[in-house]
């Protein structure tokens, strides 16, 4: 089992978007039994809440399931419980490394550094642009899945 955790600040806009998109993609590739996916926020404000209405609306329009998703905060056991800790922006990377007391580039990295964009995923909490976030999540998840398949020799 390969385990992937997406991390953002509130765990209601960007990381749940990436989690749902990745789960959908993994299912389409027939790899649901091999890859576990979750998300968390470095902040505590939205614990227990469903994803933001803008994230839910976009995912619903794209027929991507959001069933059972609830915000949670990053916790120290996440370091051992996940193989990839994929952060939405550079501040999430810094906060995650501090909270988990881990300074590993291999395990904790910025999502779009896997892509030619090499930038933060813009936060729709501030931009209001859930379309842009969705497109970047799709692009990032495709590259991430390719990387996981190579790293773990999955077919
Ligand atoms: P997210 O967006 O990190 O993509 O979930 C945010 C959600 C909530 C807040 C900030 C960012 N907030 O300040 O409550």
């Amino acid at each position: 089992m390969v385990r992937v955790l997406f991390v953002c600040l509130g765990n209601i806009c960007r990381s749940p978007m990436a989690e749902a998109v990745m789960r959908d993609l993994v299912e389409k590739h027939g790899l649901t039994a091999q890859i576990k996916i979750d998300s968390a926020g470095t902040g505590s404000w939205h614990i227990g809440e469903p994803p933001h209405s803008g994230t839910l609306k976009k995912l619903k329009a794209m027929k991507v399931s959001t069933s059972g998703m609830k915000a949670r905060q990053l916790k120290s056991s996440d370091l051992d419980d996940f193989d990839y800790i994929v952060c939405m922006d550079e501040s999430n990377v810094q906060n995650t490394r501090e909270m988990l007391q881990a300074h590993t580039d291999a395990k904790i990295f910025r999502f779009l550094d896997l892509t030619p964009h090499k930038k933060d995923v813009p936060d729709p909490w501030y931009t209001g642009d859930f379309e842009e976030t969705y497109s970047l999540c799709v692009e990032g998840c495709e590259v991430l899945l390719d990387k996981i398949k190579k790293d773990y020799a999955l077919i």
Side-chain angles (χ1 to χ4, degrees):
M1 175 71 82
V2 186
R3 303 150 307 165
V4 180
L5 181 69
F6 292 102
V7 176
C8 65
L9 180 57
N11 193 212
I12 55 168
C13 296
R14 294 165 296 170
S15 60
M17 184 87 93
E19 178 190 349
V21 165
M22 189 68 177
R23 189 172 290 130
D24 188 63
L25 188 65
V26 162
E27 196 182 323
K28 285 176 176 145
H29 283 249
L31 290 169
T32 301
Q34 284 98 315
I35 305 176
K36 169 188 150 176
I37 304 148
D38 195 6
S39 68
T42 57
S44 60
W45 312 284
H46 300 284
I47 293 173
E49 292 178 22
H52 188 286
S53 57
T55 290
L56 291 176
K57 189 175 162 202
K58 183 62 196 169
L59 291 171
K60 195 173 171 194
M62 301 312 293
K63 303 199 176 349
V64 174
S65 170
T66 56
S67 142
M69 296 180 83
K70 270 200 184 118
R72 74 165 176 94
Q73 190 170 26
L74 187 71
K75 52 182 191 252
S76 47
S77 56
D78 288 329
L79 184 62
D80 291 330
D81 289 346
F82 290 92
D83 303 297
Y84 300 87
I85 300 180
V86 185
C87 300
M88 295 296 117
D89 68 32
E90 192 52 39
S91 72
N92 303 147
V93 172
Q94 296 312 322
N95 291 332
T96 296
R97 287 184 179 152
E98 263 174 43
M99 288 173 76
L100 301 183
Q101 309 253 300
H103 298 275
T104 150
D105 286 347
K107 191 183 253 198
I108 303 169
F109 56 87
R110 188 172 65 162
F111 190 29
L112 296 181
D113 281 346
L114 296 175
T115 74
H117 296 292
K118 302 201 185 307
K119 65 170 187 174
D120 293 345
V121 177
D123 192 344
W125 176 263
Y126 303 106
T127 66
D129 190 346
F130 289 86
E131 306 285 330
E132 176 190 34
T133 295
Y134 173 80
S135 303
L136 289 168
C137 284
V138 170
E139 202 177 329
C141 284
E142 283 168 354
V143 182
L144 177 60
L145 182 55
D146 279 348
K147 174 178 166 55
I148 293 171
K149 281 178 157 186
K150 280 196 197 106
D151 289 353
Y152 285 85
L154 298 177
I155 297 158

